[in-house]
Every structure is written in C-alpha cells, then in structure tokens.
Amino acid sequence: MGESSVKTLETRTDVSSPIVTGIETRPESEDALLTRLRAPRRPRIWFEILLIAVSYWTYSLIRNAVPEQKAAALANADWIWSVERGLGIAVEQSVNHAVNSVTWLIVGMNYYYATLHFVVTIGVLVWIYRFHPGRYAATRLILFATTGVALVGYYFYPLAPPRLMNGQDFVDTVLVHHTWGSMASGNLKHMSNQYAAMPSMHIGWSLWCGLTIFAVASAPWARILGLLYPTATLVVIVATANHFWLDALGGMACLAFGYGVSRAWYGSLPHRLPRHPAHIGPHPVSAALNRFRR
C-alpha cells in the first residue's frame, strides 16, 4: 500500500516538470510572433481601401494644419534660390517661361500636375495588389513611410514655391491659363497649405511608382515608362513653378527613408519577396481580435 502511494507521488512529480520548460521557451514564442507579423500575406481589399482612405485623410489634415509661416517660407525660398544660383542650377525661371509660351504644352502640364499624382499612384497600388500580392504590403509600407516623414519637412521647413516668391518673375501657370492644375492656386488655394513645398511628394510618389514598375514589371516597355514617369514629373513641377529642383531632392530623401523602413521590417526589398505569399494562417492581429470577440 505504501509502495503504491510513493509511485503515485513520483508520477505526479514527473508530470509537473514540463511547466518550467514552458516558461523557459517563452522568448521563442515572441520571436515566432514577430516573424508572423513580418511575413508577407495576401491583403484584404476592404482593409486596404479603408487604410488608404484614412491614411490620406490624416496626411492631408496634418499637412494643412501646419501653420502657414509666410515670412519664414518666403525667406527659405530666397535662400534656396540663392543656393541654386551659386551652384549654377537655377534654371527654374527659364524653364517656366519657355514652357509657358507654348499654351497647349503648359495647359497639359497643369492637368498632369493635378491628376496623375493620384491616378498613377493608385494604379500602381492596384496593380501590385492584384498581380503581386506577396510584395504588396512591403511596397505599400514604403509609400506610407515616405509620406509620413514628409510631414516633418512641412512642419520644420516651411517653403514657398517659386510662383509665390517676391521680386522673382515666375509665372503661376494655373492662374494665367485658367486651368485646374494646383490645389494651391486659384479658388482651391484655401484647401491646401501653400507653403509646404519641401519635400516634393510629386517626386516622392512618382519615383516610388517608377522604381516599383521598373523592379517588378517584366515587359521592357513598361520598365522604360516607369523610369520616364518621374523624369516627366520633375519637368512638370519646375515648369509650373510649383517646386525648386532641390524640393525634388527632398522627395528622393524621403523615399530613401521609406525604402529603409520597409527593408528593416520585412528583411528584404519588395521585389525580392515572393510574388504570392504562402498560406500561413490568419494575421496575429486578426486572430487576437477574433479571440477578443469570443
């Protein structure tokens, strides 16, 4: 009877020992969770539409909430103009006047500036979502990080566009030709912060589109168009007197930051990720929400 009691007690003691082992392996489970969070997965259309809409609304709200520091913005514009003249690259005014003399060309550029910035960017997002779902999240993160860091520039470095400078004979092509080509001109100027020219998100977004197309597309003509798009955009933002050349460099710097964030999170550039994500179960956040609902 006593021997039986001792064996039972020993058995219970052996069974309880794995509890200690479970506590010791907790860091591994945290690493597994982080790996699952970073793993590319198939995006959901309803979530992406909601995320993009809310994100752009938030971006516009913050950008337009930045105080319009007119005096500082004009002073910064004068400084940039003097720097460019010192470097021998202050050709914005010559380009502005030359293109403005060709009515059909400058009117086309006005509408280009107003529309393609959104149309092409959304088109590339849809294309990656549809045909390269495994690369979509990483590509989208680049765009979001690029746009987010641009807000820092708008806040700490107010800058007037060339067309608003004092004493410089730049042409506001939207006002002259009565076209809708800039949210900061004409009747729409009160809807947008006019002194948020640095960095240029027209360049940041167009270069994101161009590099994404160039890295992922298989057709040579598509890759060529991808590279031509940001090049054409650079000409347009200068010809319409909405940006300096150096604003474009600011946009490129923001894009480089976006690539760095995406690379750090996913461990690879988007085009090196699998085109189609492996089935790895529900997203950890979705699983947590489902458990919470229960």
Side-chain angles (χ1 to χ4, degrees):
M1 189 73 173
E3 292 179 359
S4 175
S5 300
V6 171
K7 290 181 180 180
T8 303
L9 183 58
E10 290 175 351
T11 303
R12 291 177 180 174
T13 303
D14 293 339
V15 172
S16 62
S17 60
I19 298 177
V20 179
T21 305
I23 296 175
E24 292 175 350
T25 58
R26 185 172 298 173
E28 295 182 1
S29 64
E30 292 175 356
D31 292 341
L33 176 61
L34 186 60
T35 300
R36 289 181 62 197
L37 285 171
R38 290 177 170 177
R41 60 188 67 247
R42 185 170 296 277
R44 297 182 179 181
I45 184 64
W46 65 267
F47 175 78
E48 294 303 323
I49 293 176
L50 180 63
L51 178 63
I52 292 172
V54 171
S55 298
Y56 184 74
W57 176 81
T58 304
Y59 162 78
S60 300
L61 185 66
I62 296 175
R63 181 180 186 273
N64 296 334
V66 172
E68 290 194 359
Q69 305 174 55
K70 182 177 180 179
L74 291 172
N76 289 335
D78 290 336
W79 182 82
I80 283 187
W81 186 237
S82 65
V83 169
E84 290 192 354
R85 292 178 66 180
L87 295 174
I89 59 173
V91 298
E92 289 91 336
Q93 195 172 85
S94 299
V95 174
N96 175 235
H97 283 252
V99 178
N100 184 66
S101 64
V102 184
T103 302
W104 66 266
L105 181 59
I106 193 59
V107 169
M109 286 188 175
N110 285 341
Y111 288 121
Y112 178 114
Y113 186 89
T115 59
L116 294 192
H117 179 53
F118 303 101
V119 172
V120 177
T121 302
I122 294 174
V124 171
L125 276 173
V126 172
W127 172 58
I128 294 296
Y129 174 90
R130 177 65 180 83
F131 296 104
H132 301 267
R135 299 161 178 163
Y136 175 82
T139 305
R140 185 238 290 143
L141 180 58
I142 294 173
L143 183 64
F144 278 32
T146 298
T147 306
V149 76
L151 294 173
V152 178
Y154 299 148
Y155 188 88
F156 289 103
Y157 196 79
L159 179 67
R163 58 186 174 76
L164 293 182
M165 291 179 67
N166 295 324
Q168 303 295 335
D169 190 26
F170 283 96
V171 179
D172 190 330
T173 59
V174 172
L175 292 179
V176 170
H177 297 280
H178 308 288
T179 55
W180 182 70
S182 172
M183 289 292 289
S185 293
N187 296 328
L188 297 173
K189 63 183 179 181
H190 300 296
M191 297 176 61
S192 179
N193 186 350
Q194 298 189 76
Y195 303 109
M198 172 67 84
S200 169
M201 279 299 94
H202 272 75
I203 291 300
W205 287 15
S206 65
L207 190 57
W208 171 85
C209 292
L211 292 177
T212 299
I213 293 172
F214 181 80
V216 174
S218 57
W221 63 266
R223 303 181 73 187
I224 293 173
L225 286 179
L227 295 181
L228 288 178
Y229 174 54
T231 305
T233 301
L234 179 60
V235 176
V236 167
I237 67 173
V238 171
T240 56
N242 279 295
H243 288 282
F244 296 98
W245 295 114
L246 292 183
D247 298 346
L249 293 182
M252 294 177 189
C254 290
L255 182 63
F257 173 83
Y259 270 99
V261 170
S262 182
R263 173 68 174 78
W265 180 253
Y266 287 101
S268 178
L269 293 175
H271 68 278
R272 293 178 179 173
L273 294 173
R275 180 173 182 174
H276 297 281
H279 181 70
I280 53 177
H283 194 280
V285 175
S286 300
L289 290 175
N290 290 333
R291 288 195 299 268
F292 178 77
R293 291 173 183 173
R294 294 174 185 173

